[in-house]
Amino acid sequence: TSSGVFLLQMGWGDLGAFGEPSKETPNLDQMAAEGMLFLDFYTASPLCSPSRAALLTGRLPVRNGFYTTNGHARNAYTPQDIVGGIPDSELLLPELLKKAGYTNKIIGKWHLGHRPQFHPLRHGFDEWFGSPNCHFGPYDGSERPNIPVYRDWDMAGRYYEDFKIDLKTGEANLTQLYLQEALDFISKQQASQQPFFLYWAIDATHAPVYASKQFLGTSQRGLYGDAVREIDDSVGKILKHLQELGISENTFVFFTSDNGAALISAPKQGGSNGPFLCGKQTTFEGGMREPAIAWWPGHIPAGGVSHQLGSVMDLFSTSLSLAGLQPPSDRQIDGIDLLPVILQGKLIDRPIFYYRGNELMAVRAGLYKAHYWTWSNSWEEHSKGIDFCPGQSVDGVTTHTQEEHTYLPLLFHLGRDPGEKYPLSFASEEYQQAVEHISGLVQQHKATLVPGQPQLNMCDQAVMNWAPPGCEKLGKCLKAPESDPKKCSWPH
Amino acid sequence: TSSGVFLLQMGWGDLGAFGEPSKETPNLDQMAAEGMLFLDFYTASPLCSPSRAALLTGRLPVRNGFYTTNGHARNAYTPQDIVGGIPDSELLLPELLKKAGYTNKIIGKWHLGHRPQFHPLRHGFDEWFGSPNCHFGPYDGSERPNIPVYRDWDMAGRYYEDFKIDLKTGEANLTQLYLQEALDFISKQQASQQPFFLYWAIDATHAPVYASKQFLGTSQRGLYGDAVREIDDSVGKILKHLQELGISENTFVFFTSDNGAALISAPKQGGSNGPFLCGKQTTFEGGMREPAIAWWPGHIPAGGVSHQLGSVMDLFSTSLSLAGLQPPSDRQIDGIDLLPVILQGKLIDRPIFYYRGNELMAVRAGLYKAHYWTWSNSWEEHSKGIDFCPGQSVDGVTTHTQEEHTYLPLLFHLGRDPGEKYPLSFASEEYQQAVEHISGLVQQHKATLVPGQPQLNMCDQAVMNWAPPGCEKLGKCLKAPESDPKKCSWPH
């Protein structure tokens, strides 16, 4: 059985099936109607790179190294001056799937490091079309180079230069390129009758948001909605392609997101986290609860709904299971195999850990969520207009200083209070029972935790994408400045 | 064609189909899947009585008299010391439907006045099982009597005394009684082959929230969710009953709500307004945008979705149209006939007016909403813990003083910003065009507005339900105090 993972940056509330009021995602809604909707599904970090590292390793960022120790409870990722990346010691899903004869392709943003040793084709992927970092820019090549777009080992050009993004109009045809890559790859695999793993990690809804001309202006929601519509349309075309090729019953497909909608980009480029608190960068539900849909015609009963606490890390274990493989036994794997949930409607008891950097901020068990630390961002950042919770403010919860609650965690019941507005009374029996249970889980978790070497501490202008492989052929090599490694600055 | 209207107090976000994360409304979701979902549907007031008066008259509360002039921009309703009620001069939907041979029944809360002249059987209904006011209590009969439950002309008992509501456990089997009434009425009408209008206006989700024993503790959402589940189950049973009797294709059914979820009752007894701002009592989207579903098998294409700006007042005109009747031509009717929308997918250009008392607070046209006045409630009330926007605070929008914006209305684009967080720049061309358009609509509206006599100004202890008709038979008559009419106090 082949696997496909659509990994986007969208909020829980961005899909019609999840209550977005414009209801402009007919293909994703149809995917849900034909498959299974996960309502309690989480990413492993409120930021992109660590989530992606977690998805591909089945392990929390604090284990696989995708975190920083430069400051307490800070999110970090892989900008183009990052020195670190995915360690060789980590076993990635595609590396393992190779043993079962899979061909693996990543389309879109890799985000696990852009230096040669971190290249996705050195970590199990057979093919790549996409970029190592976010499509920020344009840059003029003196202070920093534009982000390269790779085809397999070599760069095929750079964003803004060879792959246009018009920041004024929001026009870029990148999603169409990424769609075509996916369709072609699937056709090729079907022809060769080889199982495959396709990781479609495109970034149209990540600021700067873009859409192709045919989608611009088509959404009630503005440019962000245009991008969502194009992604929705693309997902529909990919699923239809699987059906037309007659391989949909042999292909497990999962749709989810790497973090909550970035409310700092609202209203023009931000999405929706539905009824949840705050967004990207935070460990409130809006930052880490994600839309999620499993689709596998002929196997998953249509119209299914699951309240299984799920995680992007489960896609690691589930994809291995589909390939008849076992997860590695020499290390802690945080993902679980969701097939019993998806195929037999089982519910597996497991907690969700919410990290920011290497600090365990919160834990969910059942419907209870305990916050051990709270903060959104600092007063200093907030005063500059950086607001992860615009229009929302819950006293003592959306704090602007790091507040420790280790001895009396803030406890929420996410069924009665999905918006994390009403902490339970410390004196209540309900509080005491739930916190006792969760504290036990925390103790167990911390006792066995072996943190990985933090990869996101050091930054250096010299390591940026000055001269990626293949730049000579394109005449696109730039001269790197002298190495000057510094601690990266992670304000959030 | 018969008509059924389910009128509840639920928030836009309380249904699975509208993105409630526990997704516990399978019957309402199924109703939507078989019918048409309205995503931009509004009530006529952020409070119960005026909304209900508007539904049954097809007219804004400011026209039909369901408002107060005791204070500026205040919500008023019909507590049991209210002197006023629905004027005889108003023509109610059931009165008109009688001309087409309909039998009309109201089950649940009437709320258009409880004094004899306001009795629903004097205003077109043939049958009634339910109460005139909210089920607040219990009262001891000295300061105020318990609310009566009527069967047709006479009271059948009182809440808490004869119709139990256990405030400690939340148990009451009232929804089951109301369900049985509906099933029996439908059976009777089917047997007699008479068209009917059933107005099922039950109140289990209105504080104090209750559910029957079999539903208590079944929801992830606590007591409120238990009540929602019971209502959902009841709606499913009523629709199934129509199908089993073979009359579903002759019965147009509509589900909606009289105001947004009451966030002051959260988290135990409050609902969800999804991604919208604030709730009941306010003219933000959370106060007046409602879940809405039309169902009419064989006529409405399954799975339809409409962005028509709709109103509870449209149920007046639509029900008349279904009966082959014209709305009265001697008065302004605010409702429109939705059949072209529902059956032919048309979109009718019309504004939505948001009133609080007799003040036009805001207007929506297309995706733009202009606020001419803002406030949630006073600082004084707010400091007592009465919060209509818990956890939400938008500078200059969720104000605690009445702020006038007549000359520079606050403008929101509800597509890009459904949460009303980002007012458009006054200087933008977009602002100027939209406000010019909306100002024209306001001018037109105000120029022709003939306000009704305000019914909700005077209160009097003497008019309470001391001795409703039928009390003698039950030995339940209480002695009224002397009349002492006073201006009612409407703090919000």
Side-chain angles (χ1 to χ4, degrees), chain A residues 283 352-355 360-364 369-373:
Chain A
T283 48
I352 295 293
F353 297 107
Y354 304 68
Y355 271 89
L360 180 62
M361 304 287 288
V363 178
R364 175 173 175 182
K369 180 175 176 183
H371 289 266
Y372 292 89
W373 284 88

Side-chain angles (χ1 to χ4, degrees), chain A residues 105-109 128-130 178 181-182 198-202:
Chain A
K105 177 157 194 161
I106 166 172
I107 298 174
K109 187 167 68 171
W128 182 22
F129 182 69
Y178 294 141
E181 280 291 315
L198 171 61
Y199 177 45
W200 200 69
I202 71 159

Side-chain angles (χ1 to χ4, degrees), chain B residues 283-345:
Chain B
T283 47
F284 302 110
E285 292 296 283
M288 291 185 56
R289 191 140 153 188
E290 305 302 335
I293 305 168
W295 184 88
W296 192 14
H299 302 271
I300 303 179
V305 171
S306 180
H307 285 292
Q308 172 66 43
L309 303 198
S311 164
V312 289
M313 299 181 288
D314 301 345
L315 301 179
F316 176 88
S317 303
T318 306
S319 298
L320 289 179
S321 175
L322 285 162
L325 298 172
Q326 294 292 321
S329 55
D330 64 341
R331 64 196 67 204
Q332 182 71 42
I333 299 294
D334 297 289
I336 61 173
D337 178 3
L338 289 179
L339 290 185
V341 174
I342 292 170
L343 301 179
Q344 295 140 44

Side-chain angles (χ1 to χ4, degrees), chain A residues 162-189:
Chain A
D162 313 290
F163 297 89
K164 303 285 185 214
I165 302 170
D166 185 328
L167 294 184
K168 266 195 195 152
T169 62
E171 184 179 342
N173 75 335
L174 291 163
T175 300
Q176 293 303 312
L177 296 183
Y178 294 141
L179 166 61
Q180 198 54 52
E181 280 291 315
L183 298 177
D184 291 348
F185 174 71
I186 291 167
S187 296
K188 184 179 59 131
Q189 290 308 116

Side-chain angles (χ1 to χ4, degrees), chain A residues 44-62:
Chain A
S45 163
L47 210 60
C48 36
S49 298
S51 291
R52 288 156 193 251
L55 189 159
L56 291 174
T57 61
R59 284 151 59 80
L60 284 166
V62 70

Side-chain angles (χ1 to χ4, degrees), chain A residues 285-344:
Chain A
E285 292 294 285
M288 291 185 56
R289 190 142 154 186
E290 306 303 334
I293 305 169
W295 185 87
W296 191 15
H299 302 270
I300 303 179
V305 171
S306 179
H307 286 291
Q308 173 66 44
L309 302 199
S311 163
V312 291
M313 298 181 289
D314 300 344
L315 301 178
F316 176 88
S317 303
T318 305
S319 299
L320 288 180
S321 175
L322 285 162
L325 298 172
Q326 294 292 323
S329 55
D330 63 342
R331 63 197 68 203
Q332 180 72 42
I333 300 293
D334 297 289
I336 60 173
D337 178 3
L338 289 178
L339 290 185
V341 174
I342 291 170
L343 301 179
Q344 295 141 43

